[in-house]
Amino acid sequence: MKMAFILFDQMTALDFVGFYEAVTWIGILKLKEDVTWHFCSNKAEVTDDRGLTIKINDVNPDLSEYDMVFIPGGYSTRLLRNDSSFISWIKTASNVEYKVSVCTGSLILGAAGFLEGKSATTNSSAYDLLSPYCKEVVKDRLVRDGNIFTGGGVSASLDLGLYFIQSLFGEEIANEVQLKMEYPYYNCSAYRDVKSQNPV
C-alpha cells in the first residue's frame, strides 16, 4: 500500500499529523504488504500556517501511482482550489483507490472533481464553500462515501485516521492502534455504519 500525503504552504499541520500518526500503523503492524508513505507537493519545501518548514520527498509525482491520497486543510486551500496548475496535479489521482481529506482539504478534492455526486464534510466555517462541489454537505465529524473519506475541522484528523483503519481492518485493529496512541476519545461503535453514505 503506497500512501501519498499532499503538503502545501499554509496548511494546518495537525490536519496532516493526526491522520498520518494513525494510518502509518498500517505499516508498523504489517496489516498490508509493502506499506510506504510519501510526502508530496508541487515544490521542494513547504511551510505550514505556524511557521514549521517541511522538506518534500516527492515533488510533482504522478499521483496515479498511489493507493491512497490524503489532503489536509488550512486557509490556503481557499486559494489553491482555484490554482489550475495545482488542481491539474491533484487530478492525476483520479484512479487512486482511497481519497481522504481533513478540514478544508475537501475543497481540493472538490475542485479536482472527486466529490461530484458524493456526500462530504469539512471545517464548519467552510460548509458553504464545499457545497458547490458535492451532492450533500454532511455536518458531521466523519463522513465516508464509497472510498472517499472526509473529516471535519483540525482535531478530526486523529478520529478519521482511526476510522479509516476501522473501515479497512475492523474494530479490533482500530482499538489496538487507539491504545498504542493512548487516544481515548475515539468510539468505534459510533462510526460502525452511521457515517457511511455508500459503504464498499
Side-chain angles (χ1 to χ4, degrees):
M1 185 178 192
K2 190 175 181 182
M3 300 185 285
F5 294 95
I6 307 299
L7 307 181
F8 46 86
D9 283 332
Q10 300 301 303
M11 69 175 192
T12 298
L14 181 55
D15 286 353
F16 154 58
V17 174
F19 185 81
Y20 162 76
E21 169 63 27
V23 300
T24 50
W25 281 100
I26 294 172
I28 295 166
L29 296 176
K30 302 188 187 311
L31 301 175
K32 279 186 172 286
E33 292 183 0
D34 301 321
V35 177
T36 59
W37 46 88
H38 305 255
F39 307 120
C40 306
S41 185
N42 59 344
K43 54 191 300 189
E45 190 174 276
V46 301
T47 301
D48 83 341
D49 57 10
R50 303 295 197 278
L52 174 68
T53 297
I54 302 170
K55 293 188 181 297
I56 301 301
N57 301 119
D58 299 301
V59 178
N60 284 323
D62 180 352
L63 296 176
S64 68
E65 298 174 359
Y66 295 88
D67 302 297
M68 185 207 77
V69 167
F70 170 81
I71 304 178
Y75 199 81
S76 59
T77 57
R78 291 162 170 79
L79 297 175
L80 281 175
R81 68 193 174 115
N82 297 316
D83 182 327
S84 59
S85 177
F86 185 83
I87 296 303
S88 291
W89 172 53
I90 298 298
K91 284 181 177 180
T92 66
S94 61
N95 294 322
V96 171
E97 184 172 10
Y98 300 106
K99 300 177 183 72
V100 185
S101 71
V102 166
C103 199
T104 57
S106 58
L107 300 180
I108 303 301
L109 290 181
F114 299 152
L115 299 182
E116 188 173 345
K118 301 287 186 179
S119 298
T121 194
T122 190
N123 187 292
S124 59
S125 69
Y127 288 153
D128 59 330
L129 297 178
L130 180 62
S131 183
Y133 295 123
C134 61
K135 177 183 70 176
E136 177 188 16
V137 175
V138 182
K139 297 178 180 181
D140 283 336
R141 190 167 175 82
L142 310 177
V143 172
R144 176 185 180 185
D145 193 330
N147 280 351
I148 292 181
F149 295 75
T150 53
V154 193
S155 65
S157 61
L158 275 167
D159 299 73
L160 188 62
L162 289 166
Y163 179 53
F164 184 79
I165 289 173
Q166 178 183 336
S167 298
L168 270 62
F169 305 104
E171 291 182 31
E172 184 176 344
I173 297 297
N175 283 329
E176 181 181 353
V177 173
Q178 182 178 6
L179 287 171
K180 289 182 180 299
M181 290 174 20
E182 297 193 22
Y183 180 66
Y185 306 108
Y186 180 76
N187 181 354
C188 281
S189 62
Y191 295 109
R192 198 166 285 144
D193 292 307
V194 177
K195 310 302 179 188
S196 298
Q197 304 299 317
N198 181 25
V200 175

